[in-house]
Amino acid sequence: MEESNANEQEVKKTGYTWRINLSKTEKYWNSWFHGLSNMFLSIPAAKILLLAGIDRLDKDLTVGQMQGKFQMHVLPQCGHAVHEDVPDRVAEVVATFLVRNRFAEAKENFHRPFPCC
């Protein structure tokens, strides 16, 4: 009953309501990400990791990046949803990665930003 009352107050305050109680899913959060870095690193293909910052980069990814197992690109001045916060910059970085790794061909007017390819 207490949860329902809190939900009603939230709807009145913001006009929005949560479909689920996220706190009840907390016990599953660890399993969502456990081993994810190693799975990413084990993919036998060219990889890029776009980040808003490196402050939460785990040990496996730090070592993998130093070993050249993937290209890391930090997009400063944006939040954790880089594709929403700086979509043009994400598109530029991904396009450069695709051309650099020969997954795509550059058009005549393609600008190759830093890091060059």
Side-chain angles (χ1 to χ4, degrees), residues 34 43 69 78 104:
H34 184 72
I43 297 170
K69 292 185 177 181
C78 66

Side-chain angles (χ1 to χ4, degrees), residues 35-74:
L36 187 61
S37 295
N38 284 326
M39 287 192 310
F40 173 74
L41 293 170
S42 69
I43 297 170
K47 299 175 279 298
I48 186 168
L49 182 62
L50 301 178
L51 302 167
I54 59 170
D55 56 326
R56 302 193 91 188
L57 200 62
D58 67 20
K59 180 183 173 185
D60 294 328
L61 288 176
T62 301
V63 171
Q65 196 273 332
M66 286 194 261
Q67 293 174 339
K69 292 185 177 181
F70 65 93
Q71 178 184 334
M72 182 174 72
H73 199 95
V74 180

